[in-house]
Amino acid sequence: MSEPSCRLYYWPSIPGRGEFVRLAFEDAGTPYVDVARLTKQEGGGVAAMTALLEGKGPPHSLLPFAPPILVWQDLVLAQTAHILQWLGPRIGLAPDDERGRLDAHQLQLTIADLVGEAHDVHHPVAVSLYYKEQKPEALRRAGHFTRERIPKFLGYLERVLERNAKRGAPYAVGDRASYVDLSLFQLLAGLRFAFPQAMARLAPTIPRLAALAEEVAARPRLRAYLASSRRLAFNKDGIFRYYPELDSDEDR
Ligand SMILES: N[C@@H](CCC(=O)N[C@@H](CS)C(=O)NCC(=O)O)C(=O)O
């Protein structure tokens, strides 16, 4: 992509939804500016992101609701799947044909749904409350999430891979890796971090997803990125959080 670089605005201390966008840039080797992770002196920090959310972005651009936000020239895009739908074809990480691109977008939206549900496990009542203020509800939600929702979503995604494998490709869409495959890697990494027991139980049912995640992690640029300090670790502030009690085998 031509200069100037895209500017990504996302919370600086969590991988979160921003990571789905970072992975695409990193895999493509496309330069980008991770604005909120720069210092204030460098024109970054959370204040720069807040300014964008307050409408201080390029004139005539749509006001974004929440990060991640991508800015390129006077274009301001929010919503992770929407960002990737725009970015993917420009950096060689989307199918060439329209149908393939539509399929990729549909899968990315499905991934976004699961990401949202993973978040809601530790925040089932309100985003504005702490986890400890909604723990009984979280425990109840976690049981349903790990026993019903993760298997349903991942079972579906496994079947998608199985169908594409019949056409000879070990990817979600088309015959080469797309941003969806990178997102599937990140989704699995997050779920394994947050729900290790549930994911271990489920492992025999998702061999293709597991193999794809390994292949994605071994892609040369991503392998280097994952080993670098640019890659943020999962933690207790992000979307994928590990609370042992939410990953328990107990019936609730
Ligand atoms: N559907 C949006 C969700 C965006 C979102 O919820 N962003 C979070 C950070 S991961 C946020 O800061 N939300 C603020 C809020 O919902 O009030 C997407 O996929 O990008």
Side-chain angles (χ1 to χ4, degrees), residues 9 30 42 70 76 80 83 93 99 110 118 142 151 179 206 209 217 224:
Y9 293 77
T30 302
E42 292 167 320
L70 194 71
V76 178
T80 313
I83 292 170
L93 278 172
R99 184 187 171 136
T110 306
Y179 64 82
I206 52 165
L209 278 170

Side-chain angles (χ1 to χ4, degrees), residues 51-62:
L52 205 53
L53 291 165
E54 286 169 352
K56 294 176 189 143
H60 313 300
S61 57
L62 183 66

Side-chain angles (χ1 to χ4, degrees), residues 10-11 14-18 20-21 49 53 65-69 78-83 108-109 111-113 115-116 119 127-128 238-239:
Y10 193 70
W11 301 107
I14 59 168
R17 290 179 172 93
F20 294 99
V21 183
M49 186 172 88
L53 291 165
F65 175 71
I69 304 161
Q79 293 285 356
T80 313
H82 184 56
I83 292 170
Q108 195 65 39
L109 288 168
I111 292 170
D113 286 348
V115 170
H119 169 272
V127 179
S128 54
I239 293 171

Side-chain angles (χ1 to χ4, degrees), residues 106-107 110 150-161:
Q106 183 171 323
L107 286 171
T110 306
I150 301 183
K152 182 166 183 177
F153 273 100
L154 295 192
Y156 162 74
L157 293 165
E158 181 74 14
R159 288 198 304 282
V160 167
L161 290 181

